[in-house]
Amino acid sequence: MGCDGGTIPKRHELVKGPKKVEKVDKDAELVALWNYCALSQEILRRPIVACELGRLYNKDAVIEFLLDKSSEKALAKAASHIKNIKNVTELRLSDNPAWEGDKGNTKGDKHDDLQRARFICPVVGLEMNGRHRFCFLRCCGCVFSERALKEIRAEVCHTCGAAFQEDDVIVLNGTKEDVDTLRSRMEERRLRARLGKKTKKAKAAESVSHPAASEESAGPSGMNTGKPEASSLDSREKKVGPVPRSTANGSSSGKAGKPPCGATKRSIAHSEESEAYKSLFTTHSSAKRSKEESAHWVTHTSYCF
């Protein structure tokens, strides 16, 4: 039955009290947040992206999640707000020159300093290990410490010079209050984007409908009044008169049409033109010569009548 052989039990061994709440190691929690992907639980490696709530992911893990959403519910919950690749921003991180990683740990007996981070703030030089608050700009993806943004107040990015607003600053791995404020901003931003799309569609539909209505209104008026070009053509056709069938057939077949039988040839000699103009034609008296004056055909003269 136990307790024999002179064993004296103590009170905490016999009486069961309330279970102690297990405390999470802070250092381990910070390492998990800042060194591992929130979706795949793998070590962060470039390219690294961040969502609108400030969580860190591997870009390939996010792409795999978007392509195949039939993953575990616990992991999918961390990225349920990511609908497409535009909801994440690729981060531009500055490497820490003092971080060696696994270069010197060839034998596996080297102590890993968890306080040493892979990335630092490019302005102040603070390490991104969770001890200091860091944030990134959604417009360009540059990462800074919150201290750098407070000490050097500017409306442009300290690294690339891109202009940003207060709404573009997103805290990385913030507290619950920070996540709540970022979530409300995200919802407002997405709502504005939806409304903007709807207004664009409405404007496009109006621009398509207005030209059709104008064409319909201009149609009957054009039929009644007629175009000026068409009226001028009609008047010219009336002046010229009807074209005979022989000319129409000749023009359609590509051959020159012959003049009608009753039409008389116009003589240049009886016209009212000047004598200089009449002398250009062979029917003029100056162009006519007698047989004595004209040369033989062997000479190839141009005066051949």
Side-chain angles (χ1 to χ4, degrees):
M1 296 296 293
C3 294
D4 52 350
T7 304
I8 301 172
K10 296 180 180 180
R11 184 179 181 280
H12 72 275
E13 295 177 355
L14 299 175
V15 179
K16 292 182 179 181
K19 291 183 178 181
K20 293 181 179 180
V21 179
E22 294 181 0
K23 292 182 179 180
V24 181
D25 188 10
K26 256 191 174 181
D27 294 335
E29 188 179 4
L30 291 176
V31 169
L33 285 174
W34 293 92
N35 293 337
Y36 290 87
C37 174
L39 185 59
S40 63
Q41 304 301 321
E42 296 179 357
I43 296 176
L44 289 172
R45 58 184 180 274
R46 281 191 171 96
I48 301 171
V49 296
C51 65
E52 294 172 297
L53 301 182
R55 294 169 186 159
L56 299 173
Y57 307 92
N58 288 326
K59 191 173 183 178
D60 54 354
V62 175
I63 293 172
E64 289 176 4
F65 168 73
L66 293 174
L67 293 175
D68 183 17
K69 294 188 178 181
S70 61
S71 56
E72 297 180 8
K73 292 182 179 179
L75 298 178
K77 189 178 180 181
S80 59
H81 59 284
I82 300 175
K83 305 300 181 183
N84 51 39
I85 198 65
K86 293 182 180 179
N87 297 143
V88 295
T89 306
E90 187 171 345
L91 300 181
R92 301 170 66 180
L93 298 161
S94 302
D95 293 325
N96 185 5
W99 187 76
E100 296 180 357
D102 296 334
K103 293 179 181 178
N105 193 12
T106 56
K107 297 180 180 179
D109 56 351
K110 187 179 178 181
H111 171 68
D112 291 334
D113 189 5
L114 299 177
Q115 302 303 319
R116 187 73 65 187
R118 292 171 56 190
F119 309 109
I120 60 172
C121 173
V123 180
V124 185
L126 296 175
E127 295 186 354
M128 198 174 74
N129 53 10
R131 301 291 177 182
H132 309 280
R133 286 169 64 88
F134 272 72
C135 52
F136 76 95
L137 303 180
R138 198 173 58 88
C139 56
C140 60
C142 296
V143 181
F144 304 98
S145 62
E146 196 175 42
R147 186 189 297 181
L149 290 177
K150 286 181 178 179
E151 290 180 358
I152 307 173
R153 294 185 176 275
E155 296 181 354
V156 295
C157 177
H158 302 311
T159 304
C160 62
F164 68 93
Q165 299 177 354
E166 189 178 355
D167 190 30
D168 295 329
V169 180
I170 296 177
V171 181
L172 289 171
N173 292 327
T175 59
K176 288 184 178 180
E177 292 79 8
D178 295 331
V179 173
D180 292 338
T181 55
L182 290 174
R183 192 182 294 277
S184 62
R185 283 184 191 176
M186 178 185 69
E187 292 174 356
E188 290 176 2
R189 198 181 299 116
R190 292 184 181 181
L191 182 61
R192 286 199 301 268
R194 287 191 206 119
L195 294 175
K197 286 182 180 179
K198 287 182 180 179
T199 52
K200 284 182 180 179
K201 288 182 180 179
K203 287 180 180 179
E206 288 178 1
S207 63
V208 170
S209 61
H210 280 306
S214 61
E215 287 178 2
E216 290 177 1
S217 60
S221 62
M223 290 175 66
N224 294 332
T225 58
K227 295 182 180 179
E229 295 178 359
S231 61
S232 61
L233 289 172
D234 294 339
S235 61
R236 288 177 186 175
E237 288 178 359
K238 288 179 181 178
K239 289 179 181 178
V240 172
V243 181
R245 292 183 181 179
S246 60
T247 58
N249 295 334
S251 62
S252 62
S253 62
K255 298 178 181 179
K258 296 181 180 179
C261 303
T264 57
K265 291 184 179 180
R266 184 185 175 188
S267 177
I268 197 67
H270 302 289
S271 63
E272 297 178 357
E273 303 293 339
S274 63
E275 291 294 328
Y277 178 76
K278 291 178 183 179
S279 63
L280 296 175
F281 299 92
T282 56
T283 56
H284 192 255
S285 59
S286 63
K288 294 181 179 180
R289 296 184 181 185
S290 62
K291 291 182 180 181
E292 297 176 356
E293 294 178 354
S294 61
H296 196 262
W297 63 272
V298 180
T299 58
H300 298 282
T301 180
S302 60
Y303 297 102
C304 298
F305 303 101

